[in-house]
Structures are given as C-alpha cells and as structure tokens.
Amino acid sequence: MAGPSRFSLKLRALFWRFLSNLSYSFFDRYFSTPAPPQPSFVVSIPTTIAKVHGSIPLQFYAPHTYQQHRKLSNDAGGPSDGKLFSVVINFHGGGFTIGGPEDDARWAGAVVQKGVVLISVGYRRAPEYPFPTGIEDSVAAILWVWEHAEEYSLDKSRVIISGFSAGGNFCFTVPMRLYTELEERKKQGRPLAASLSGKLAGILAFYPSVEWTQSRAERTASNAISGIKGRIPDALFELFDHSYLYPGPLDMSSPYLSPGLAPDEMVLNALPDSIYIHTCEWDQLLVEAEKFRERLKRLGKLVTGSMTKEVVHAWDKRPSFSRGNSVRDQVYAEATAAMIEMLDKKS
C-alpha cells in the first residue's frame, strides 16, 4: 500500500513545525526563566556533500571571552594572540522533519558556561529533503568548521559533536558518513587539504535512535512502558518515517540509518574513543540505545552517561516556565563534565 503523497507530508510537516515551535521553543524562549541564550551570530555555509546543493545556517553560541577575543582580533585585522577555542557541533532533534537549531539553546548555554563554543547546525529536513540529505549537510558542517577553524578562532583538534533524538542518530551516522567521504577522497587520489585534518574528540548523544530495522511497534514492545507513558502520537511517528525514509525501499540496516548495526571496523575507525550516551526510562528508543552502549564498550570505546528515570523522550525540551528544571540541569552538568574530560584528553 502506497504511503501518503509528498505534498500531504509537506503540509503536515508545516503544521507540526508550527505547533512544535509554539509549544516548545516559543514558550521556552519567552515565557520560561531564566531565558535560554540567543545565538551570538549566524553563518550561512554551502552544502558541499549532498547531491542537492543549497545552503544551511550555523548558529554560533559563544562564551563572553570568545566574543571579546573575536572583537580584539577583528580590530587588529587578524588573530591577536593565537588563542583557539574548543567547539561542540550540535545536531537538533525532531524526527528529521521538525525542530530547528534553536531548540537546543539551553544545552548551548550549559556548554558555553564551560568556555566552549557551540555551533548548532540547521541541516535541511524531510520531507523536502529526505535521507540522506540531513546527514550529508552535517558532514559538510564539520568539514566547514575544520576548514575555517583558524578564521573563527576554533581548535579543530578539539571538536566534539552532540545531538538529541534524530540529532543523536546523527552523532553516529555523521562520523560514519564523514569517514566514508574522506576514505573515498583518498582512493580517488584527491589529496586532503591540511585544513581538513581535524579530529573528533568525542560524542555526546541524547536519547538517540540507532536501529531502524525495527518497526515502531517493535520499538514500543521492547520497552512496554513507553507505550503507556510516551506522549508522541502515532500520527507524528508516521510523518517522521514517511518523510525521511524516501524513496523506498531503503536498506534499513545501512550504517547511515542504523549505526547500532554498523560493522565493527566502521565503528572502530569512524567513531571517536570517548562517547557519552544519555537515555530515558519511558522512551521507545531506550533498549536499542542501551544495547549499542554495551556494544561500544565491548569494542573498547570509553562510554559514559546515564539513564534518567521516569521521563519520556525529549523530556528536557519542554518549557519549564518559572519552575525551572533541576533534573535537566543535573543531566546537562553531567554531560558537560564528560565533555571537559574528552577535551582534556586532547590537551
């Protein structure tokens, strides 16, 4: 049976994007205290990997010391003291279909407090741009950061990637696609410029999807409480899946969809040694993420992180209004501590 038309998917995506922005981002930005930070500046970059060319925004969230340093450098007509800042490249969630780079502003605030720059990637979303465009846009973002690191006072040897939900999937699929891209260039005899010799120091993945070979029903059955406590309607899951997984049929075991099933060699070569994974007790993605955590450990990766009890998927994105969210603050503190450890290993 044929799925919904692309036109109807686009209309539904527009509706859910509006609703999501109103229910989460808008109320969190303007009606919750303290307010999340605004981007320090935005840079538009070309998409150099995907077949469909275009441009995407990179939202820079920067500590005050970075902004002071940039001002002094600009006033002097160039880098003033050679100081470079560590950077986290972030991929937002939203089922590859909704959401935007501003959704993770509170996470950006936690990172910035540690003196690290966060760049949130506005990759192109399905259904307008289905798999694998978002992944390839995110690969292009990493390559751009490496290439322009000196210009923006960034340390390309101290780059970490982070992401939530669909962005958590990108935390693994993007390095794998990046690894393949760099290997293909080598085989084709296309020498890599010195500017593209950056490194990923670690991964910070929040409630990621890592195994697309399972149906939504099978994912829910793997963690039955998610079917009772979970709040994402089936209509939204249908929108996500029909929008992103197009045109079919796709190999659902592909490492660019199911990184949890990627060959050992790719996992070992493409992913950094230090990985943080956060999961949610009432999430249909809990079991596959925890299974991947254990596999990564068996392969010798240093994996940290925790599971938050009695919370649903994307629990930390809900507006807290005047109540605040101490559990979210604790998890972000744990994750930024892991971030600092990853960066210290690169010192």
Side-chain angles (χ1 to χ4, degrees):
M1 182 177 178
S5 70
R6 305 309 289 175
F7 179 73
S8 70
L9 288 172
K10 289 178 183 178
L11 290 180
R12 289 161 60 186
L14 289 173
F15 168 76
W16 281 104
R17 287 169 189 168
F18 170 79
L19 191 63
S20 174
N21 185 63
L22 180 65
S23 302
Y24 291 89
S25 296
F26 179 80
F27 282 111
D28 192 42
R29 285 198 301 268
Y30 300 108
F31 293 93
S32 298
T33 55
Q38 297 292 324
S40 304
F41 59 94
V42 180
V43 177
S44 179
I45 69 166
T47 57
T48 55
I49 305 298
K51 293 180 180 179
V52 180
H53 296 303
S55 61
I56 58 172
L58 303 182
Q59 292 186 352
F60 279 67
Y61 295 82
H64 184 62
T65 52
Y66 174 86
Q67 298 180 64
Q68 287 180 321
H69 174 78
R70 288 281 294 163
K71 184 178 185 304
L72 291 172
S73 297
N74 291 336
D75 290 346
S80 58
D81 57 7
K83 179 176 174 56
L84 300 176
F85 288 77
S86 301
V87 58
V88 170
I89 301 176
N90 183 73
F91 311 121
H92 69 82
F96 313 96
T97 305
I98 62 176
E102 66 281 349
D103 291 352
D104 300 329
R106 290 196 181 277
W107 164 240
V111 171
V112 165
Q113 286 180 2
K114 301 298 184 180
V116 175
V117 174
L118 183 136
I119 301 173
S120 198
V121 180
Y123 59 83
R124 291 174 291 177
R125 301 165 296 183
E128 296 90 340
Y129 299 96
F131 170 84
T133 303
I135 295 172
E136 293 174 336
D137 285 353
S138 300
V139 171
I142 293 176
L143 293 175
W144 184 91
V145 170
W146 285 352
E147 185 175 4
H148 296 269
E150 183 176 357
E151 176 185 352
Y152 285 87
S153 302
L154 303 173
D155 188 342
K156 63 183 178 182
S157 70
R158 294 162 62 85
V159 176
I160 288 174
I161 57 175
S162 69
F164 296 77
S165 190
N169 174 274
F170 280 9
C171 281
F172 302 105
T173 57
V174 169
M176 292 178 181
R177 180 63 181 85
L178 173 64
Y179 172 77
T180 301
E181 176 70 19
L182 297 178
E183 289 298 303
E184 287 177 352
R185 293 188 186 190
K186 291 178 183 177
K187 291 178 182 178
Q188 293 168 1
R190 297 160 58 193
L192 297 178
S195 60
L196 296 181
S197 60
K199 297 290 183 182
L200 297 179
I203 290 172
L204 304 164
F206 296 81
Y207 37 86
S209 63
V210 297
E211 193 171 326
W212 272 96
T213 57
Q214 302 177 94
S215 68
R216 291 289 181 179
E218 289 171 329
R219 282 170 155 170
T220 298
S222 72
N223 185 27
I225 191 66
S226 68
I228 301 170
K229 297 291 188 177
R231 298 178 182 176
I232 301 177
D234 290 341
L236 197 52
F237 283 140
E238 180 187 277
L239 171 65
F240 293 162
D241 297 351
H242 283 298
S243 295
Y244 189 58
L245 305 173
Y246 177 86
L250 298 174
D251 178 6
M252 305 305 284
S253 65
S254 164
Y256 308 137
L257 285 171
S258 300
L261 301 179
D264 288 353
E265 182 180 5
M266 177 168 278
V267 173
L268 290 169
N269 292 331
L271 302 184
D273 291 334
S274 298
I275 299 171
Y276 171 95
I277 299 176
H278 173 265
T279 56
C280 315
E281 184 181 15
W282 294 345
D283 186 1
Q284 68 166 206
L285 303 179
L286 170 67
V287 173
E288 64 190 75
E290 291 295 339
K291 180 180 176 182
F292 191 36
R293 184 202 301 276
E294 294 307 312
R295 182 184 172 209
L296 290 168
K297 288 180 179 178
R298 290 196 299 272
L299 290 174
K301 301 294 185 182
L302 177 60
V303 187
T304 59
S306 61
M307 178 195 73
T308 298
K309 293 184 175 296
E310 299 182 354
V311 296
V312 297
H313 189 83
W315 61 277
D316 56 314
K317 303 305 175 188
R318 301 179 185 278
S320 54
F321 300 104
S322 61
R323 301 186 304 272
N325 190 328
S326 60
V327 178
R328 178 185 62 202
D329 295 343
Q330 291 170 10
V331 170
Y332 285 5
E334 176 188 82
T336 54
M339 173 190 74
I340 295 301
E341 289 186 11
M342 295 173 186
L343 295 173
D344 285 346
K345 291 177 183 177
K346 291 295 180 180
S347 299

